[in-house]
Amino acid sequence: MSYSLFGAEKPPREELMVVQTVSKDRHSFVVARGVKDGVLKGQEIIYANDNVSILCKAQEVNRNYSLWVPIDPNVNIPFNKEEIISYNSHAYGNVALDIVGDVNNLTPAVNYYEVFRKFRSSNNFSMRASLNRGLSQSSSDVSTDKNTNRTGYTFAIDYNYRFMPEFEMTVGGRIDNEVYRLSGVQLDIPTHRTMLTVATTYHLLNFSTDKNNIYLTLAAGIGKSETTVNGEISSGTVTLLPEARIGYLMPFTPSVAMIFEGSVESLSAHENFSDSSEQVTNMLNLKFTIGLRF
């Protein structure tokens, strides 16, 4: 007798999914398939990894998750948390059947939305480190010919809220440390900034054929800027509007991904010295970023 994971008879198939958790006694495990996916309490299905296949029964089911136990009570679960396993939509006794003549169908199709759901439909965090180089700069009290390249680095941490597979909103914070040099007097002037940022990202999932994808981001921010000139400190507000990024997201486990970005940003700082004189600095920076999502 055969059973379909979705209740009614459908063409047999094999797909991959991620084990969400395994009980301490290794007699049950949970996967992210529930009532909304057509899973019903009492259904039987074959689950397998590279070494072993076991016939399991859905013991508990809610909207998003299901708890599975082996049919044979003497069998322990051979899977581990976050392990990628396969399920076969038809089971007969303890044998999974695939009644398709095409040999290409013997290899299960990877469901990237399921295996890498953390980076396709779930919220996550990201940490990024960037190298910055100034493309142009203008200051209210420094002649243009005395401005040379600005260099520095940025550290940022963000929370990414995924409200659609293609779209997400991000809130976070960043710390900048940069130095620019006045060419006439060979003076290095350090600047330190802290900012809160918001961003929106569009993931080009429809153009991806594997687990990786390109994305486009627009970001804005506001914070505090502090510059030291010959021992005298000026401070004030700085705005980021906008930063345009193009990035590449590359998961290497179901819960951790690398990110690579290139971006151009426009910054404007309004700083005051102790004598109340104001300096306005506008900057255009190029950035190269590497980071992690988790």
Side-chain angles (χ1 to χ4, degrees):
M1 183 176 182
S2 63
Y3 298 83
S4 170
L5 183 61
F6 300 95
E9 291 293 330
K10 291 186 178 181
R13 68 186 181 281
E14 194 171 8
E15 295 184 14
L16 301 181
M17 63 175 54
V18 178
V19 177
Q20 299 298 310
T21 188
V22 179
S23 65
K24 291 183 179 180
D25 61 9
R26 305 197 71 83
H27 286 161
S28 62
F29 65 100
V30 174
V31 298
R33 290 273 179 169
V35 174
K36 68 180 178 62
D37 304 298
V39 179
L40 299 176
K41 185 175 180 179
Q43 285 185 337
E44 297 180 7
I45 208 75
I46 285 284
Y47 284 96
N49 59 16
D50 292 336
N51 301 314
V52 65
S53 300
I54 57 173
L55 181 63
C56 298
K57 184 176 183 178
Q59 188 176 69
E60 299 292 339
V61 182
N62 64 20
R63 175 174 171 77
N64 299 303
Y65 297 94
S66 52
L67 175 72
W68 296 82
V69 296
I71 295 296
D72 186 341
N74 297 317
V75 173
N76 289 331
I77 301 301
F79 315 133
N80 296 313
K81 182 179 179 181
E82 296 189 350
E83 181 179 353
I84 299 173
I85 61 174
S86 67
Y87 72 81
N88 197 294
S89 63
H90 278 61
Y92 183 79
N94 289 319
V95 181
L97 301 180
D98 189 343
I99 320 171
V100 181
D102 186 353
V103 68
N104 293 324
N105 287 310
L106 296 177
T107 301
V110 179
N111 185 340
Y112 294 112
Y113 282 87
E114 180 66 40
V115 176
F116 298 102
R117 63 186 295 144
K118 189 174 184 68
F119 309 112
R120 295 294 179 103
S121 59
S122 299
N123 305 335
N124 53 71
F125 289 90
S126 59
M127 297 180 63
R128 299 178 292 117
S130 308
L131 292 177
N132 313 336
R133 186 172 181 82
L135 296 177
S136 66
Q137 174 178 311
S138 63
S139 299
S140 58
D141 61 352
V142 179
S143 61
T144 303
D145 60 353
K146 289 184 179 181
N147 284 314
T148 58
N149 285 333
R150 172 185 292 265
T151 58
Y153 57 88
T154 296
F155 294 107
I157 183 166
D158 300 308
Y159 177 73
N160 308 296
Y161 172 70
R162 199 68 163 259
F163 59 92
M164 290 177 61
E166 293 83 8
F167 288 96
E168 69 184 358
M169 294 293 297
T170 297
V171 294
R174 62 181 255 188
I175 297 174
D176 298 356
N177 284 286
E178 293 181 349
V179 174
Y180 73 92
R181 175 173 294 176
L182 297 181
S183 58
V185 294
Q186 292 295 303
L187 176 65
D188 288 343
I189 300 177
T191 297
H192 176 78
R193 293 188 290 266
T194 56
M195 283 190 286
L196 295 176
T197 59
V198 295
T200 182
T201 298
Y202 175 67
H203 292 266
L204 282 71
L205 298 179
N206 293 332
F207 298 91
S208 174
T209 58
D210 57 20
K211 62 184 180 179
N212 309 325
N213 72 268
I214 296 172
Y215 59 89
L216 305 173
T217 300
L218 280 178
I222 188 169
K224 180 180 179 182
S225 177
E226 187 175 274
T227 300
T228 304
V229 183
N230 280 335
E232 186 175 358
I233 297 176
S234 64
S235 61
T237 60
V238 59
T239 55
L240 167 68
L241 189 67
E243 180 187 7
R245 309 175 197 156
I246 181 169
Y248 189 69
L249 188 149
M250 187 174 66
F252 56 89
T253 75
S255 58
V256 181
M258 293 287 295
I259 52 176
F260 305 92
E261 295 177 351
S263 61
V264 177
E265 65 178 15
S266 176
L267 293 162
S268 180
H270 295 251
E271 298 177 338
N272 293 288
F273 290 91
S274 56
D275 61 2
S276 298
S277 61
E278 183 182 44
Q279 175 176 282
V280 179
T281 306
N282 297 303
M283 297 151 281
L284 186 66
N285 289 342
L286 177 67
K287 299 173 63 177
F288 298 98
T289 302
I290 187 171
L292 291 175
R293 282 202 181 209
F294 52 92

